[in-house]
Amino acid sequence: MNTRTHTTGPWEWRPIGSKGDIGIYVQYAPPSCGVIARIPYTDTKPVAENARLIAACPDLLAVAEEVINNQEALPAYLVAMAIHAVGRAKG
């Protein structure tokens, strides 16, 4: 049984170094706490856009879990989407 969970959010993104790489960090944590993920710079991919999406993941997971916890008040298709998303996020 896997009891590991993701790094607690919220997360934020910040530049790493001078080459255009971006790091995902726990929000307000000093860089010495370490990077959660590193997105290397490339001129062929939307690096900043990907970083914003990754940094929003803990918030999006919380919203999806809230949808599941209050499913009686919501459309079935929305609940199904939330269940699918949480399943993908948690494995």
Side-chain angles (χ1 to χ4, degrees):
M1 176 165 63
N2 185 356
T3 59
R4 299 177 109 185
T5 61
H6 69 280
T7 302
T8 305
W11 298 347
E12 65 182 357
W13 63 277
R14 298 183 227 149
I16 296 176
S18 61
K19 295 183 180 177
D21 292 357
I22 293 178
I24 306 297
Y25 297 87
V26 173
Q27 191 171 24
Y28 307 120
S32 61
C33 287
V35 64
I36 296 169
R38 184 182 193 111
I39 304 168
Y41 173 78
T42 173
D43 58 0
T44 61
K45 298 207 183 330
V47 177
E49 292 81 356
N50 289 341
R52 284 195 296 271
L53 179 61
I54 293 167
C57 285
D59 300 318
L60 296 169
L61 178 59
V63 169
E65 289 174 330
E66 192 66 24
V67 166
I68 294 168
N69 292 335
N70 294 288
Q71 58 185 284
E72 64 282 343
L74 297 165
Y77 79 91
L78 191 60
V79 174
M81 289 172 61
I83 291 170
H84 177 74
V86 170
R88 287 192 65 195
K90 292 191 170 185

